[in-house]
Amino acid sequence: EAGVAQSPRYKIIEKRQSVAFWCNPISGHATLYWYQQILGQGPKLLIQFQNNGVVDDSQLPKDRFSAERLKGVDSTLKIQPAKLEDSAVYLCASSLEEVWGYQETQYFGPGTRLLVL
Amino acid sequence: DAKTTQPNSMESNEEEPVHLPCNHSTISGTDYIHWYRQLPSQGPEYVIHGLTSNVNNRMASLAIAEDRKSSTLILHRATLRDAAVYYCIRQEYGNKLVFGAGTILRVKS
């Protein structure tokens, strides 16, 4: 079974530029998550999709971050414009389905390491 | 707010058991305890989870205290490949997983 795919693996940009990350979840997984992981910290959830609908985006800085999952399969996370503090690893995860009250096992991709100069 | 407390780091010898503690003193009756680990330069991976009773799988065992205010992840024989950051996560009913800083496990050969 193929895992969660992410690209690119690394990205270096200058502040105020834009950047996009792509994620392809495990086939058949309805729920997709984007996390931000700053060096030395645990992952922080940015947004959660159930199929192509947003379940939770309360921690997404909406003035500069956007995400979409148009066909309920792969997803794109965009930052525009980037700031220095956006330097982090961006992780995508997927799970089989959203079951209210119970957290299904999440499967994570390798992440995209972003450096903003 | 991760709502769990873990040691910053621990060290173990190869081939020996490792007990990773986690404190979750404010846990309620419907909260699950999840453990994930993150190897260097990889995304986190699921290890085990439980609600009340002890749990075993091929990777590890999870021992949950009777009052559920603490739990211990047990790796029965640590290998160099087990060196990672281990996250203990308390999942409140209806809420998402919230990762803390975790415990860095170092394994010595």
Side-chain angles (χ1 to χ4, degrees), chain A residues 6-97:
Chain A
Q6 290 189 248
S7 67
R9 291 296 310 277
Y10 304 92
K11 191 74 177 178
I12 301 174
I13 62 173
E14 296 189 350
K15 59 183 179 184
R16 290 188 289 273
Q17 286 188 323
S18 62
V19 65
F21 313 124
W22 175 82
C23 171
N24 193 22
I26 292 173
S27 177
H29 279 196
T31 308
L32 185 147
Y33 312 80
W34 282 103
Y35 288 85
Q36 179 192 59
Q37 185 172 25
I38 293 171
L39 189 64
Q41 300 180 17
K44 182 182 86 171
L45 179 68
L46 292 176
I47 188 168
Q48 177 185 345
F49 292 94
Q50 175 80 0
N51 296 309
N52 60 351
V54 175
V55 173
D56 182 356
D57 64 357
S58 57
Q59 303 238 64
L60 188 74
K62 298 181 187 62
D63 57 333
R64 297 184 300 107
F65 286 65
S66 64
E68 59 183 12
R69 193 185 184 200
L70 292 176
K71 295 182 180 178
V73 181
D74 57 349
S75 175
T76 303
L77 176 70
K78 296 179 181 176
I79 307 175
Q80 183 179 12
K83 293 185 175 181
L84 297 177
E85 58 261 36
D86 297 332
S87 294
V89 176
Y90 290 86
L91 294 160
C92 179
S94 68
S95 63
L96 196 55
E97 61 184 22

Side-chain angles (χ1 to χ4, degrees), chain B residues 23-65:
Chain B
N23 185 293
H24 28 81
S25 56
T26 59
I27 197 168
S28 68
T30 54
D31 295 351
Y32 278 84
I33 297 299
H34 298 256
W35 284 82
Y36 281 73
R37 72 179 185 181
Q38 187 170 22
L39 280 65
S41 300
Q42 295 187 27
E45 66 172 341
Y46 168 80
V47 177
I48 201 167
H49 77 279
L51 182 61
T52 55
S53 55
N54 296 342
V55 185
N56 300 293
N57 66 20
R58 65 174 181 81
M59 288 182 70
S61 295
L62 176 61
I64 301 174

